Amino acid sequence: MSRKHNYDPACAAHGPGGMENKVPKCELTQAQAKTLAYIRSYIRKHGYSPTIAEIAKAEQVNVNAIGGRIAALIKKGAITKADGIARSIRPVSFTLDSTSKVSFDRRVD
C-alpha cells in the first residue's frame, strides 16, 4: 500500500536544498515516486518518454493504475503530458548528464 510521506523536520525534502528536481518527494506516494523515477530512467536510457503501457509492464501493474499515478503526478506538478500525443510524458524539471540526448520537440503533421 502506498503512503504519503509525513512531515518530518529532519527530512531533507523539507529543509533548504531538499528539493530534488524541484518536486518535493514528500508530496508523492511511494508508488508515484517509483513511477517518476522510472520515467526519468527511461528517458535517460532511450532519449524519449515511455508510454503508459511500457510503464505498466515495467512496474508490473495494471495500465489503469499507471493512468491514475500519471494523473496524480500531473496534478502535483511533477510531470506534464500532452493529450493525444504519444510519448509526451515529461518530468517538469529534468537534468541529463552530458552524454544523454533528449528531444521533446515533436511535431504532428
Side-chain angles (χ1 to χ4, degrees), residues 56-103:
K57 183 177 180 180
E59 295 190 20
Q60 299 178 335
V61 296
N62 186 295
V63 175
N64 293 332
I66 294 301
R69 289 181 197 174
I70 295 297
L73 288 167
I74 291 168
K75 185 176 180 179
K76 292 178 179 184
I79 63 171
T80 61
K81 181 182 180 305
D83 289 337
I85 299 178
R87 300 188 183 276
S88 64
I89 300 169
R90 302 177 193 170
V92 170
S93 180
F94 186 62
T95 306
L96 291 172
D97 60 36
S98 61
T99 62
S100 300
K101 295 180 182 177
V102 175
S103 174

Side-chain angles (χ1 to χ4, degrees), residues 2-60:
S2 297
R3 306 187 116 209
K4 288 188 179 179
H5 181 80
N6 294 326
Y7 179 80
D8 178 359
C11 174
H14 294 289
M19 305 276 276
E20 180 184 26
N21 291 321
K22 298 183 182 180
V23 177
K25 283 185 167 184
C26 298
E27 290 183 9
L28 305 180
T29 65
Q30 290 176 351
Q32 291 164 358
K34 179 180 176 183
T35 299
L36 182 58
Y38 178 78
I39 292 167
R40 288 181 173 146
S41 170
Y42 189 97
I43 293 170
R44 278 191 186 101
K45 182 176 180 181
H46 299 283
Y48 52 87
S49 301
T51 64
I52 292 174
E54 289 168 337
I55 299 167
K57 183 177 180 180
E59 295 190 20
Q60 299 178 335

